Amino acid sequence: MRLSRYFLPILKENPKEAEIVSHRLMLRAGMIRQQSAGIYSWLPLGKKVLDKICAIVREEQDRAGAIEILMPTIQSADLWRESGRYEAYGKEMLRIKDRHERDMLFGPTNEEMVTEIFRSYVKSYKDLPLNLYHIQWKFRDEVRPRFGVMRGREFLMKDAYSFDLDFEGARAAYNRMFVAYLRTFDRVGLKSIPMRADTGPIGGDLSHEFIVLADTGESQVYCHSDFAGFDIPGEDTDFRDNDAIADIVKRWTTPYAATDEMHDEAAWQDIPADKRLSARGIEVGHIFHFGTKYSKPMGAVVQGPDGQQHSVSMGSYGIGPSRLIAAVIEASHDEAGIIWPASVSPFDIGLINMKAGDEACDTACEGLYGKLAKAGYDVLYDDTDQRAGGKFATMDLIGLPTQVIVGPRGIAAGEVEIKDRRSGARETLPLEAALNKLTAGRRA
């Protein structure tokens, strides 16, 4: 993509309304535009990152055996009355009426709707286990939306819902999602720590929040430092092997880890002082088993192997891709701007023509642009007539992992410069050697 043809509305000054780094940098980098309190338009750069994160989320949900559907944003209030949540949910729910005066709502979550879908089609235990997920916009009318997309009113959510005959099956489904979440957050460049979460009146121990450590985190968290050395399950993880998956979950849930609301000071003091890690954390995902909370009142039953009708045991599993972008930025930035992990960067390479209009620079850039694209790279080519300092500032701000800098002096010597955004390291190479270095990874 040529920058001269792209829509990238960069802001030079820090927006006054932005309280945290991710909000400030997303606005400055032209990723989002606030339309009203807690509601944002996603501009091209932000949309590209959002799509990449959603693609990773989908791949890991599919790998774990979940099946994608798409449910509407507008739901009937009657479903929520069946579950008993319509009146109890509170003012966070946006309640509306259609032209026939029927009570409707903008969905804050989808337990009722997915349960209605399940009960309409699934009648036998032979069709279980089943896990249905979608990625859809949600709306919760937060009392105080703040921190940009970190706590907005409208947000994108991946929510999955598992259905099993009994608790044993539900635990296996929970474990699969647990491992899928570890892999998902690792792939987007985050080190997440699963922390036991409150199960409320449901009880039990099957509820975990996945927390990313960051100075601007919303809550205080406490954990054993051993988590830093844990290996993430690999691509070859067999999600059909319930025992192997359970072993992974056991390892990741044995050391102490708790948010402030679940903190046990006595258990914390039992950890050696040099192994205690207390920090701020950002919640990036939540998985929760709730049993028959919705299946019983809504009649989601299947015939079991005993010939009897059983209310299915359910769980829900949420990741907010829009919120996740803010978490990535909070964990990966410097004074100059964002530092994207390669897996979610909006472009792979930023190509900077330091003197657009110069024949030698233009020829070299056009050649690099074409060859890098042919090698499979998504390149943002700065072909504008902006001054060099502004070009460098823009590339650092938007955080592309690799910058290729082409200037008159370098080209006169047959050379270009490659800059690594994360380390700041620069390397000057002959043009052909630079191209070989950049494309070596793709050829491998």
Side-chain angles (χ1 to χ4, degrees):
M1 173 60 65
R2 298 173 188 273
L3 187 55
S4 61
R5 303 293 300 275
Y6 198 55
F7 181 55
L8 185 64
I10 297 293
L11 300 180
K12 294 183 179 180
E13 303 296 330
N14 287 326
K16 294 180 180 179
E17 70 271 23
E19 299 178 58
I20 62 173
V21 169
S22 58
H23 190 194
R24 180 171 71 247
L25 291 178
M26 290 182 77
L27 288 170
R28 286 200 56 213
M31 295 179 67
I32 55 174
R33 168 71 180 177
Q34 181 171 320
Q35 303 301 153
S36 61
I39 299 176
Y40 293 85
S41 289
W42 288 80
L43 306 182
L45 199 75
K47 179 63 164 51
K48 282 177 72 71
V49 180
L50 195 60
D51 288 346
K52 286 198 170 185
I53 285 181
C54 287
I56 290 172
V57 170
R58 281 191 172 94
E59 287 171 11
E60 294 304 327
Q61 290 294 290
D62 296 346
R63 190 193 305 274
I67 302 167
E68 186 173 10
I69 61 175
L70 184 60
M71 292 176 275
T73 57
I74 304 300
Q75 304 182 29
S76 168
D78 291 341
L79 286 175
W80 286 66
R81 290 190 175 106
E82 281 190 60
S83 71
R85 283 209 298 175
Y86 184 67
E87 300 300 335
Y89 200 87
K91 292 185 177 180
E92 288 76 21
M93 179 188 288
L94 180 61
R95 294 166 170 84
I96 55 181
K97 289 182 181 291
D98 67 12
R99 67 171 64 206
H100 303 291
E101 294 298 309
R102 289 178 294 220
D103 290 327
M104 310 291 284
L105 58 100
F106 194 125
T109 184
N110 278 74
E111 283 84 359
E112 284 81 2
M113 184 170 286
V114 77
T115 302
E116 191 279 330
I117 291 171
F118 176 88
R119 74 183 181 188
S120 298
Y121 300 107
V122 182
K123 306 299 180 184
S124 170
Y125 75 96
K126 295 179 181 179
D127 296 320
L128 303 178
L130 181 64
N131 189 323
L132 301 175
Y133 79 95
H134 75 158
I135 299 176
Q136 180 61 285
W137 293 96
K138 304 283 193 292
F139 186 91
R140 294 176 190 167
D141 201 359
E142 293 276 355
V143 175
R144 190 185 174 199
R146 56 195 302 222
F147 302 152
V149 299
M150 188 74 79
R151 188 183 293 176
R153 292 194 295 165
E154 186 180 61
F155 54 95
L156 191 61
M157 175 66 72
K158 186 285 304 182
D159 37 330
Y161 304 92
S162 62
F163 302 85
D164 289 272
L165 179 65
D166 51 28
F167 177 76
E168 182 180 355
R171 179 183 282 277
Y174 184 94
N175 288 345
R176 287 191 289 273
M177 286 292 100
F178 186 106
V179 174
Y181 275 40
L182 291 176
R183 285 189 44 77
T184 299
F185 298 129
D186 179 67
R187 287 187 60 192
V188 302
L190 293 172
K191 181 69 174 181
S192 66
I193 300 173
M195 299 191 177
R196 190 166 59 89
D198 187 11
T199 57
I202 303 298
D205 60 355
L206 292 186
S207 180
H208 286 87
E209 294 176 358
F210 288 76
I211 302 292
V212 171
L213 303 183
D215 292 338
T216 52
E218 301 165 294
S219 58
Q220 189 71 22
V221 297
Y222 306 84
C223 66
H224 198 293
S225 62
D226 281 359
F227 279 108
F230 283 3
D231 292 330
I232 301 297
E235 283 188 22
D236 59 348
T237 300
D238 186 357
F239 283 91
R240 298 167 299 179
D241 188 338
N242 289 342
D243 291 338
I245 295 297
D247 286 343
I248 295 172
V249 174
K250 183 177 180 180
R251 186 187 183 206
W252 279 84
T253 55
T254 297
Y256 184 82
T259 58
D260 201 22
E261 62 180 8
M262 298 294 288
H263 182 52
D264 182 339
E265 186 62 26
W268 178 246
Q269 293 301 324
D270 286 342
I271 302 172
D274 63 342
K275 291 289 186 178
R276 298 177 200 155
L277 178 57
S278 176
R280 305 296 295 178
I282 299 170
E283 180 190 339
V284 291
H286 188 191
I287 61 176
F288 182 42
H289 168 257
F290 47 72
T292 59
K293 176 178 173 63
Y294 299 95
S295 59
K296 271 191 175 179
M298 297 187 68
V301 298
V302 296
Q303 185 178 52
D306 56 3
Q308 302 299 310
Q309 296 294 307
H310 298 260
S311 296
V312 290
S313 188
M314 297 173 58
S316 68
Y317 315 91
I319 291 176
S322 52
R323 177 186 176 89
L324 200 51
I325 292 177
V328 171
I329 295 172
E330 291 293 332
S332 186
H333 68 271
D334 61 15
E335 291 182 357
I338 303 165
I339 305 174
W340 289 116
S343 60
V344 299
S345 178
F347 294 92
D348 302 312
I349 294 172
L351 174 60
I352 303 174
N353 186 339
M354 291 180 63
K355 193 173 182 181
D358 178 88
E359 184 177 356
C361 286
D362 290 351
T363 299
C365 284
E366 291 294 339
L368 283 167
Y369 184 51
K371 290 174 181 177
L372 289 171
K374 188 175 181 180
Y377 286 102
D378 194 3
V379 181
L380 181 62
Y381 171 27
D382 188 344
D383 60 340
T384 67
D385 58 2
Q386 187 180 15
R387 297 177 66 176
K391 290 174 181 271
F392 294 147
T394 294
M395 283 296 176
D396 282 348
L397 174 62
I398 66 175
L400 309 186
T402 302
Q403 298 174 17
V404 180
I405 303 164
V406 180
R409 290 184 182 178
I411 285 301
E415 297 174 336
V416 297
E417 188 175 47
I418 298 175
K419 175 184 172 182
D420 180 83
R421 175 66 181 91
R422 184 169 297 277
S423 67
R426 294 170 178 261
E427 184 178 13
T428 300
L429 293 170
L431 187 59
E432 197 63 32
L435 185 61
N436 288 336
K437 179 182 176 70
L438 292 166
T439 57
R442 292 297 170 109
R443 288 197 301 270

